[in-house]
Amino acid sequence: MTTATVNTKKKSFTTFQMALIAVMAAITCILGPLSIPIPVSPVPISLTNLAIYLTVCLLGWKFGTISYLIYLLIGIAGLPVFSGFSSGFAKLLGPTGGYLIGFIPMAIICGFAFEKFSNRGMQIAGLAIGTIVAYIFGTAWLAIEAHLTFYQALLAGVIPYIPGDLVKIILVVLVGPIVKKRLQSAGLLL
C-alpha cells in the first residue's frame, strides 16, 4: 500500500466520522426543541438528553461529545434547536443554561460507560452518573439564576425529571446497542 493510498483511507474515514457526527447533531437538533413545559419548574421536559444518550451509544464519548458541542454551537448561533424552539447565547444565561453546559460532561461520562462496559447494569450506572453530573450543573445554575437555594432548585429542576430520565436511560441501554449492531452490519457505523 502506498502512502497516497493510506492518506486517502485516513481522509475518507475522517469524512465518514464527520458525517456520522453531523447526522447525530442533526438528530439532536430535531429532538432538542421538543419539550413539555411543566408548571412546577422553569425547566421543561426535553428530549435533548435522550438524543445525547443515543449519540454516545452509537459514536462513543469523543465523537458523541463533539456532536453535542456542534448542536450547542448551532443553538448559540441562533437556530431554534434548544427546548421550546429557542436559541441564542442568552439561553445559556437563562434557567436551563446550566443543563446545556452540564450535558458536555454528561456526554463524556455516558459515552465512556458505553465504550468500557458491555454489562447493561454498568451502562445504566454510567448513564445515571453522567445525568447526575448534568443535574449538578443545572441545579447550581438554576439556583443562581432564579435566586433559589440549592434545595429549591433541586426540587424545581431535578426531582420532577428523575422518572422520565430513568425511562430514557433504560430505553437507550436496551435499544441503543441493537441499533448500533444493525448500523454496523449495514456498514453505516464503524
Side-chain angles (χ1 to χ4, degrees), residues 96-179:
T96 60
Y99 298 99
L100 291 169
I101 297 302
F103 286 155
I104 298 168
M106 184 186 88
I108 294 167
I109 294 165
C110 295
F112 180 82
F114 277 115
E115 284 185 16
K116 298 299 178 189
F117 304 108
S118 58
N119 176 291
R120 287 183 177 162
M122 292 301 290
Q123 290 173 345
I124 289 170
L127 270 66
I129 291 168
T131 302
I132 289 168
V133 169
Y135 283 162
I136 291 168
F137 276 84
T139 304
W141 182 249
L142 179 61
I144 292 167
E145 195 277 331
H147 307 290
L148 302 171
T149 66
F150 190 82
Y151 179 72
Q152 290 170 325
L154 192 67
L155 289 175
V158 173
I159 303 302
Y161 307 93
I162 292 173
D165 287 347
L166 286 174
V167 169
K168 293 173 195 174
I169 287 169
I170 292 169
L171 177 69
V172 171
V173 167
L174 293 175
V175 176
I178 295 168
V179 172

Side-chain angles (χ1 to χ4, degrees), residues 43-121:
V43 181
I45 295 172
S46 169
L47 296 178
T48 306
N49 57 347
L50 175 67
I52 295 167
Y53 298 148
L54 182 61
T55 299
V56 297
C57 174
L58 298 177
L59 302 183
W61 77 266
K62 184 177 181 182
F63 295 122
T65 303
I66 292 169
S67 177
Y68 174 71
L69 290 171
I70 291 169
Y71 159 81
L72 188 62
L73 291 172
I74 289 169
I76 291 170
L79 291 175
V81 296
F82 296 147
S83 62
F85 295 92
S86 59
S87 65
F89 186 77
K91 186 73 171 179
L92 294 179
L93 303 177
T96 60
Y99 298 99
L100 291 169
I101 297 302
F103 286 155
I104 298 168
M106 184 186 88
I108 294 167
I109 294 165
C110 295
F112 180 82
F114 277 115
E115 284 185 16
K116 298 299 178 189
F117 304 108
S118 58
N119 176 291
R120 287 183 177 162

